[in-house]
Amino acid sequence: MIGRGAAVWARTAGTGPQRVLPDGCTDLIWTEAGPDGELLVAGPDTRARLAPGPPGTRAVGLRFAPGQGPAVLGVPAHELRDQLVPLAALWPGAEVRRLAERIVDAQRTAEAQRTAGRQAAQGRLLEDVALSRLRTAEPPDPVLAAIVAGVSRGTGVAGIAAAVGLGERQLHRRSLAAFGYGAKTLGRVLRLNRALDLARTGVPYAAVAATAGYADQAHLAREVRTLTGVPLGRLLQGSGG
């Protein structure tokens, strides 16, 4: 792993588009869509988006925790907000081609050996390149962890700014660069994910709302619909359309 909060994931597209929920994260993705595959970057989303792809298309990605992506990708997070862009738009073309070739080689090796580890090997390659870039990157902004902790506790922007010794405008600028949006929006996104984690375990919606920090169940329902585009019940059923 490249650090706390970074994780490799793998997905095979089903029938119909998949709903990707906002989570404050940035992803480096290898997708097998198209004749040669492609390396993509998914920026931090403010709303759910539908990920296209023919059924059976496989993808593997490296998801960076909130604030971690810019150090690897080399661009402020707000430049990638609500976007899915080719990695070649951010990194030198030769570097991207070499990484793509290594990923394809790992895929072919796994297929030739008839092993099931192709996506694990591809994920390790994404981790390796991220680690390499982190070694030469600037140290992380020391206030980022405090911002995430503050919004996760439900602390307001003024309180977080005072706690980290910044003005509210300074806090907003640094949040945009690190997370893609301001601290208030980051708090809404992280609260949504806490609520969904609870709801998926069968916790009643009223208890979810109280535990996750919503004013009431109606507030929870409004936020889920606003940020995901569908009601909570439909979202938990896994509907993608």
Side-chain angles (χ1 to χ4, degrees):
M1 296 302 297
I2 67 169
R4 185 177 180 182
V8 173
W9 55 264
R11 181 178 67 233
T12 301
T15 56
Q18 178 175 347
R19 190 175 301 275
V20 179
L21 304 181
D23 57 8
C25 299
T26 305
D27 295 74
L28 175 58
I29 303 167
W30 168 258
T31 174
E32 296 179 6
D36 302 313
E38 187 175 16
L39 284 158
L40 303 169
V41 172
D45 293 315
T46 56
R47 300 287 187 275
R49 59 182 173 83
L50 297 180
T57 299
R58 287 175 288 203
V60 60
L62 181 61
R63 177 162 296 145
F64 303 110
Q68 191 178 49
V72 175
L73 299 171
V75 295
H78 65 82
E79 294 187 10
L80 300 171
R81 183 176 56 230
D82 294 322
Q83 294 191 61
L84 181 65
V85 301
L87 182 61
L90 308 179
W91 292 3
E95 183 176 356
V96 175
R97 285 192 297 273
R98 285 195 297 271
L99 177 57
E101 289 168 359
R102 292 173 64 196
I103 290 174
V104 171
D105 285 345
Q107 172 183 326
R108 289 171 177 164
T109 298
E111 289 173 347
Q113 297 176 351
R114 298 185 179 181
T115 64
R118 60 188 291 181
Q119 291 180 321
Q122 292 166 343
R124 285 193 295 271
L125 288 172
L126 296 180
E127 286 189 300
D128 288 346
V129 73
L131 271 170
S132 176
R133 293 182 69 89
L134 279 175
R135 292 189 189 103
T136 59
E138 293 292 326
D141 189 331
V143 306
L144 299 186
I147 295 172
V148 173
V151 299
S152 297
R153 290 192 300 266
T155 305
V157 171
I160 296 172
V164 300
L166 296 174
E168 290 186 37
R169 289 185 179 180
Q170 289 176 303
L171 178 71
H172 186 68
R173 286 196 297 270
R174 285 162 83 161
S175 295
L176 285 178
F179 309 119
Y181 24 67
K184 183 176 181 180
T185 299
L186 177 65
R188 290 178 66 198
V189 167
L190 296 183
R191 182 177 60 185
L192 169 72
N193 282 271
R194 290 196 303 274
L196 294 179
D197 287 343
L198 288 168
R200 290 184 182 113
T201 67
V203 175
Y205 292 173
V208 168
T211 303
Y214 293 92
D216 51 30
Q217 186 174 335
H219 183 205
L220 166 66
R222 289 194 301 272
E223 281 288 275
V224 169
R225 184 180 283 275
T226 297
L227 294 174
T228 73
V230 294
L232 179 56
R234 181 177 171 190
L235 188 65
L236 295 178
Q237 292 170 1
S239 176

